[in-house]
């Protein structure tokens, strides 16, 4: 991937393994075969395998955070707080950026035959101005 441009900033939403398991279980979901690492034969029990496999993944992320300079975000914090942090990190990189003309984008998407809810809804910024 040497041809690809380096990202300005990259983020790692860090959540402890026990919290991740608790969140999945609270939603009444089960892990899928590969998410649980069942293909690796770590354990015949899906939840035990999940913990072992995801623990390995987490350990690797902890290693690359420093190696690649990822910005660690506490994913146990509220979504509002996480969004505020992201906005603080990203805002300086957007200064001076050209603001998108939503009407032009919508017209181009429609001309290309694209469909979708956002193409049919009025521009919320324009409604606020009127």
């Amino acid at each position: 991937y040497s041809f690809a441009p380096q990202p300005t900033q990259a983020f790692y939403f860090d959540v402890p393994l026990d919290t991740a398991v608790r969140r999945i279980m609270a939603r009444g979901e089960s892990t899928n075969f590969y998410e649980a690492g069942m293909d690796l034969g770590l354990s015949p029990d899906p939840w035990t395998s999940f913990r072992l496999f995801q623990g390995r993944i987490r350990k690797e992320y902890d290693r690359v955070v420093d190696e690649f300079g990822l910005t660690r975000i506490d994913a146990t914090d509220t979504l509002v707080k996480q969004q505020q942090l992201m906005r603080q990190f990203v805002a300086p990189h957007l200064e001076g950026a050209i603001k998108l003309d939503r009407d032009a984008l919508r017209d181009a998407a429609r001309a290309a035959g694209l469909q979708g809810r956002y193409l049919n809804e009025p521009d919320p910024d324009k409604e606020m101005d009127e």
Side-chain angles (χ1 to χ4, degrees), residues 2 41-42 45 49-50 60 73 75 81-83 85 113 119 121:
S2 61
L42 301 175
D45 175 64
S49 184
F50 176 86
E60 198 58 27
I73 304 283
K81 178 71 174 179
Q82 290 177 59
Q83 185 185 61
L85 282 171
L119 296 176
E121 292 178 352

Side-chain angles (χ1 to χ4, degrees), residues 62-83:
D62 284 339
R63 187 184 67 74
V64 300
V65 163
D66 292 332
E67 182 179 346
F68 294 102
L70 303 180
T71 300
R72 189 183 301 260
I73 304 283
D74 180 1
T76 63
D77 218 335
T78 68
L79 291 176
V80 170
K81 178 71 174 179
Q82 290 177 59
Q83 185 185 61

Side-chain angles (χ1 to χ4, degrees), residues 5-41:
Q6 290 289 319
T8 304
Q9 195 163 15
F11 302 93
Y12 169 45
F13 286 83
D14 188 5
V15 61
L17 186 55
D18 289 337
T19 302
V21 169
R22 200 169 45 254
R23 287 177 179 176
I24 292 169
M25 294 177 95
R27 292 190 308 247
E29 297 177 12
S30 61
T31 64
N32 73 41
F33 185 80
Y34 295 104
E35 181 181 52
M38 295 298 291
D39 56 323
L40 300 177

Side-chain angles (χ1 to χ4, degrees), residues 104-117 119-120:
L105 179 61
R106 187 177 290 120
D107 292 344
R110 285 182 183 146
L114 299 177
Q115 298 178 9
R117 184 177 89 200
L119 296 176
N120 300 328

Side-chain angles (χ1 to χ4, degrees), residues 4 11 32 47 50 55 58 80 84 89 93 95 99 104 119 122:
F11 302 93
N32 73 41
W47 284 110
F50 176 86
R58 181 176 168 74
V80 170
Q84 289 171 340
F89 288 127
H93 301 288
E95 287 180 19
K99 187 167 181 168
L119 296 176

